[in-house]
Amino acid sequence: MESYDALLASITPTTGETRTILDPATGSPVGQAPVHTVEDLDAAVAAAAAAQPAWAALGHDARSAALLKAADAVERSAEELARLLSREQGKPLNGPNARFEVGACAAWLRATAGTPLEAETVVDDGETRAELHYRPIGVVGAIGPWNWPMMITTWQIAPALRMGNAVVVKPSEYTPLSVLALVKVINEDLPEGLLSVVSGGRDVGARLAEHPAVGKVMFTGSTATGKAIIKSSADTVKRLTLELGGNDAGIVLPDADPAAIAQDLLWGAFINTGQTCAALKRLYVHSDIYEDVCEELTKVAAAMPMGNGLDENNVLGPLQNQQQYDIVAKLVDAARDSGARILLGGDPDPGQPGYFYPTTLVADIDNNNPLVAEEQFGPALPIIRYTTVDDAVAMANALDVGLGASVWSPNLDAARDVAGRLEAGTVWINKHGAVDPRIPFGGAKQSGYGLEFGTEGLKALGVPQIING
Ligand code: NAD
């Protein structure tokens, strides 16, 4: 792709209804997104079903080669993609943000191409021979959120394509341009109809989840929408992978060094300005080091520049939309009104354009305060004091979600022991939120079910078949 303008022009509809997408940092227009309908979705599913058998017949090696070419294409257009992502989503180019996200798309395409998947011999005792294979599903629906639109779409489509499926993507109505542009680039060498984007609203998502010709839905988004998808997919007994909301706890053990961990704690919480499913959203700190951790976190947080994503200096950006801004502001206001201590932030500038909410740290807050118990999905971290590890574990496990969690201590044995007691799909030690294409990732409790990434992630995009004999 030659330039940002050429990339944007290539996804701008020339016919049909369109919608103006606004930059969350400035309110100025970013581009025009198509408004696709349920009929458009049906046509995309039909085209996907027609393209899928030939794709499946290519075999793993050829499909992996195609994913590697797609990764090259993403790298060639990386800067234009990052710029569009920054303008539409709000995240800065720098820091673990837009350029990082585009880099992750290429990395995941490559890793998925190289992930091993062999048929397993389950029994071979001379009398019985049984093998476990994974056949393609057919057409897969990919429904995604607005926080990491390119990366999460890649997480959904790369294993689906590798396993011989066709894919119809339904991006969030807040960030369709990022997904349209990414898929445009990935599609350069793929067969017509195999991978397409239907840029519609909830009705289009609901139709995808109930569509009789769709065999599986990969969904990343809120727990409430995940429950709606379970219901609408029931009549067709669709396979589902659900990556839903989280409210991840971090537990700092009393022997941790506050100054040494402050930077990693901060990024664990405020990556993508807190708008991350597996971000640190509640921090439990032992009373012995509580004030020191608060002080070190405040120092690091105060030094992180927030502003327009296209400014190379910024590492924190605006919230992506008004609705999310209102959630964060309401939770912080309620925490302040309850008597919690605001260490930093909590005072948005009403005159500033865009959905900027300042980096906020809240101390001396009860575990049942809404800022702790509800998912804030923004740059506001509650820090809760505990006195026994049993109490911290009980508070961490008290919610009905369990995506990630973390334990912080130089004593790895002690940290692993606490990790094993936490009800979460992933527990990190001395870091939070680090994902890796080789390591399975998925939620516990109402954070969802099914695994993504690695060989387990590939298996989730196939139909298990036993060949017995
Ligand atoms: P959301 O659930 O509102 O929307 C996600 C997608 O679902 C959108 O594309 C939307 O159009 C579609 N949708 C809405 N109603 C639908 C329906 N009835 N049927 C089918 N599709 C429907 O989520 P969001 O606000 O975009 O994302 C934020 C949430 O996502 C947070 O709760 C966050 O924790 C979660 N999230 C989870 C992960 C994870 O991996 N677990 C990753 C990112 C975000």
Side-chain angles (χ1 to χ4, degrees):
M1 214 47 79
E2 299 125 49
S3 69
Y4 175 84
D5 290 341
L7 178 64
L8 194 57
S10 75
I11 58 163
T12 301
T14 48
T15 56
E17 195 189 336
T18 63
R19 200 161 52 85
T20 304
I21 301 293
L22 302 178
D23 183 334
T26 60
S28 63
V30 178
Q32 296 293 317
V35 179
H36 287 141
T37 61
V38 166
E39 290 70 37
D40 295 322
L41 188 265
D42 287 347
V45 172
Q52 188 267 335
W55 176 250
L58 285 178
H60 278 286
D61 289 351
R63 294 195 301 263
S64 287
L67 292 186
L68 293 176
K69 279 179 115 175
D72 291 344
V74 169
E75 274 168 359
R76 279 196 301 276
S77 294
E79 195 56 23
E80 297 81 36
L81 287 169
R83 200 176 162 81
L84 179 59
L85 176 61
S86 178
R87 289 214 59 202
E88 185 184 51
Q89 204 285 333
K91 64 182 69 191
L93 288 170
N94 281 331
N97 294 300
R99 289 183 179 125
F100 167 86
E101 179 166 352
V102 174
C105 295
W108 249 268
L109 284 162
R110 280 189 208 297
T112 307
T115 301
L117 180 69
E118 303 292 335
E120 293 163 38
T121 303
V122 187
V123 177
D124 188 9
D125 62 4
E127 279 179 34
T128 302
R129 182 178 163 82
E131 287 179 354
L132 173 58
H133 295 253
Y134 288 87
R135 297 174 46 73
I137 296 169
V139 178
V140 170
I143 305 177
W146 47 260
N147 56 344
W148 292 90
M150 290 187 180
M151 188 172 76
I152 288 172
T153 298
T154 306
W155 290 355
Q156 297 173 332
I157 66 180
L161 292 173
R162 164 71 198 276
M163 292 302 288
N165 304 294
V167 190
V168 176
V169 181
K170 209 305 275 174
S172 166
E173 38 282 64
Y174 288 114
T175 51
L177 301 178
S178 298
V179 173
L180 284 159
L182 176 78
V183 169
K184 167 90 190 162
V185 169
I186 287 179
N187 250 335
E188 276 172 24
D189 284 309
L190 293 180
E192 185 79 27
L194 183 74
L195 168 65
S196 59
V197 180
V198 181
S199 166
R202 286 167 178 256
D203 54 332
V204 171
R207 172 67 180 153
L208 192 54
E210 69 175 23
H211 201 295
V214 173
K216 165 136 193 171
V217 168
M218 301 286 290
F219 173 71
T220 295
S222 64
T223 298
T225 304
K227 290 176 183 175
I229 288 175
I230 293 170
K231 287 184 187 138
S232 45
S233 67
D235 280 347
T236 49
V237 194
K238 238 179 236 26
R239 276 73 188 140
L240 299 175
T241 293
L242 301 175
E243 300 286 3
L244 309 179
N247 194 343
D248 291 9
I251 299 180
V252 182
L253 299 183
D255 59 357
D257 176 349
I261 63 174
Q263 182 92 12
D264 290 337
L265 282 175
L266 246 297
W267 279 122
F270 294 145
I271 181 168
N272 199 28
T273 315
Q275 302 162 106
T276 299
C277 52
L280 175 47
K281 292 172 182 151
R282 313 174 268 155
L283 183 62
Y284 296 91
V285 180
H286 192 272
S287 56
D288 284 358
I289 55 168
Y290 187 83
E291 290 306 331
D292 290 345
V293 169
C294 287
E295 196 178 311
E296 294 296 335
L297 276 174
T298 306
K299 260 194 255 170
V300 183
M304 275 194 204
M306 177 185 282
N308 190 311
L310 297 182
D311 180 330
E312 299 276 350
N313 293 317
N314 292 326
V315 291
L316 296 170
L319 290 159
Q320 204 282 328
N321 53 70
Q322 178 80 55
Q323 195 189 346
Q324 198 58 48
Y325 179 96
D326 291 345
I327 290 171
V328 175
K330 189 168 153 236
L331 288 172
V332 175
D333 287 350
R336 183 196 291 103
D337 292 349
S338 75
R341 174 164 55 117
I342 309 287
L343 297 171
L344 182 73
D347 54 350
D349 174 358
Q352 185 179 22
Y355 306 123
F356 288 98
Y357 195 89
T359 313
T360 299
L361 296 171
V362 181
D364 298 339
I365 184 165
D366 287 342
N367 194 46
N368 58 6
N369 191 288
L371 180 61
V372 182
E374 293 169 24
E375 187 187 32
Q376 69 277 53
F377 219 62
L381 179 69
I383 309 168
I384 306 105
R385 190 190 301 262
Y386 75 85
T387 45
T388 72
V389 172
D390 285 350
D391 283 350
V393 168
M395 288 191 282
N397 287 340
L399 301 183
D400 56 13
V401 285
L403 187 56
S406 57
V407 184
W408 303 73
S409 168
N411 181 340
L412 294 184
D413 288 338
R416 288 186 188 124
D417 180 57
V418 176
R421 298 168 63 195
L422 294 175
E423 296 166 358
T426 301
V427 185
W428 290 278
I429 292 173
N430 294 323
K431 56 190 174 188
H432 197 114
V435 286
D436 182 318
R438 300 166 300 178
I439 302 175
F441 176 72
K445 302 203 269 189
Q446 292 189 27
S447 289
Y449 46 71
L451 290 170
E452 297 187 88
F453 315 160
T455 301
E456 294 303 320
L458 289 186
K459 289 178 179 175
L461 270 308
V463 181
Q465 180 183 51
I466 298 290
I467 298 191
N468 186 343

